[in-house]
Amino acid sequence: MSQAGGVPEVKSAVRTVALLELLAARGDQPARLRELSEELGVPRSSMYALLQTLVEHGWVRTDATGSLYGIGIRALLTGTSYLDSDKRVRTVRPYLDEASDALGETIHLARLDGSDVVYLATRESHEYLRTISRVGRRVPAHAGALGKALLADRPDAELPLPDEPLTACTENTHTTRTTLLTDLAEVRERGYAIDREETVLGIAGFGFALRYDTPATDAISCSVPVSRLTEEHQRRIVAVMREVRGKIESLLPPTSRDPGWE
């Protein structure tokens, strides 16, 4: 049995977490019992019993026929509790508003989680609105300004990257470690990351690591349609985001130990 911090893992708990993460990753694509059983290598009888338990407690939902399964509402409630209990998220939110008001563009806060970044808060542009919230969504760290700002805060030998080829979100995404490392070297020299339509076509991004952790785990960014990204607007974005980052970091002194709880 594998160890977690020197303590034997609980097999049923590991299986439950793997199932919930699999269902969450599928988004709006529900799964059948057979698919889940095969994907996780769990006997159908055991998987069925686990699913029924999670359905009863609201962690998994099923359709009227009982043959399709998806993530349940309890996952949302738990995720909301995570955001509400995080001192750093609470501290940063007003400054996302400040940046959004100053620039009129979309502003994000995200956190590195393995080889991905997870959106923790978003302030939408005054010019265009998305109908689907980004909060809770994952993006490969190598594919955007937020992730590259955080990767650049780490030595090249310690980057949490998957095997090549790296996942491509658009035709502009880095798919090799070589090109990514060249970009990260520029990020370190420049002091912030630039996303040149690497996550979404037509959208550029500017990412700034928040240095209250060593290495940084959180970052903020500004996203803007390339159609209105003039040199003057880019200079304005960089100036405002640098100022906002400074204000946030002044309220959250650097530490590698404080989890942000009161």
Side-chain angles (χ1 to χ4, degrees):
M1 184 176 293
S2 59
Q3 303 285 312
V7 178
E9 291 185 334
V10 178
K11 184 176 180 180
S12 59
V14 172
R15 181 176 291 178
T16 300
V17 170
L19 172 59
L20 292 174
E21 290 184 342
L22 176 57
L23 290 174
R26 292 179 65 95
D28 63 353
Q29 299 296 320
R32 296 184 181 277
L33 173 63
R34 174 183 54 80
E35 296 175 286
L36 298 172
S37 175
E38 293 177 355
E39 180 74 18
L40 297 178
V42 176
R44 290 196 190 186
S45 59
S46 299
M47 178 58 69
Y48 180 76
L50 177 56
L51 284 166
Q52 295 311 303
T53 299
L54 293 174
V55 167
E56 181 178 349
H57 290 276
W59 286 93
V60 171
R61 58 177 171 171
T62 187
D63 67 341
T65 68
S67 60
L68 295 174
Y69 299 93
I71 198 70
I73 196 170
R74 288 289 174 182
L76 171 62
L77 299 177
T78 300
T80 301
S81 176
Y82 174 86
L83 295 175
D84 291 342
S85 66
D86 192 292
K87 177 182 178 181
R88 292 168 176 176
V89 175
R90 297 199 308 271
T91 299
V92 172
R93 279 173 175 158
Y95 295 97
L96 302 184
D97 294 332
E98 178 179 324
S100 179
D101 290 341
L103 297 169
E105 305 295 354
T106 299
I107 311 298
H108 305 293
L109 167 68
R111 181 164 294 164
L112 189 67
D113 181 38
S115 60
D116 296 335
V117 292
V118 180
Y119 289 97
L120 301 180
T122 292
R123 297 296 181 266
E124 295 291 352
S125 167
H126 305 319
E127 300 294 331
Y128 66 100
L129 295 175
R130 291 169 56 94
T131 58
I132 300 176
S133 172
R134 291 181 179 85
V135 175
R137 295 182 179 274
R138 307 174 71 89
V139 173
H142 65 271
L146 286 160
K148 291 192 297 181
L150 292 168
L151 292 179
D153 210 45
R154 290 157 170 75
D156 288 347
E158 299 177 12
L159 296 179
L161 295 175
D163 295 334
E164 294 186 83
L166 304 176
T167 302
C169 297
T170 75
E171 61 190 24
N172 301 312
T173 308
H174 291 294
T175 56
T176 69
R177 188 182 182 95
T178 300
T179 61
L180 176 64
L181 293 184
T182 299
D183 193 345
L184 296 183
E186 295 175 357
V187 173
R188 295 179 187 115
E189 182 177 353
R190 189 191 303 120
Y192 60 92
I194 301 177
D195 170 357
R196 301 175 177 86
E197 300 185 76
E198 297 162 41
T199 307
V200 179
L201 289 175
I203 301 294
F206 301 86
F208 299 76
L210 297 174
R211 297 160 298 194
Y212 42 65
D213 276 322
T214 304
T217 57
D218 295 351
I220 55 175
S221 74
C222 175
S223 297
V224 56
V226 295
S227 59
R228 64 167 182 264
L229 184 60
T230 63
E231 290 185 10
E232 180 181 357
H233 193 30
Q234 178 169 329
R235 288 193 294 270
R236 170 69 172 157
I237 289 171
V238 172
V240 169
M241 295 301 288
R242 277 178 167 160
E243 181 179 359
V244 166
R245 173 173 66 179
K247 291 179 179 179
I248 294 170
E249 290 176 345
S250 70
L251 295 174
L252 294 167
T255 175
S256 59
R257 297 178 298 276
D258 179 11
W261 293 346
E262 291 181 338

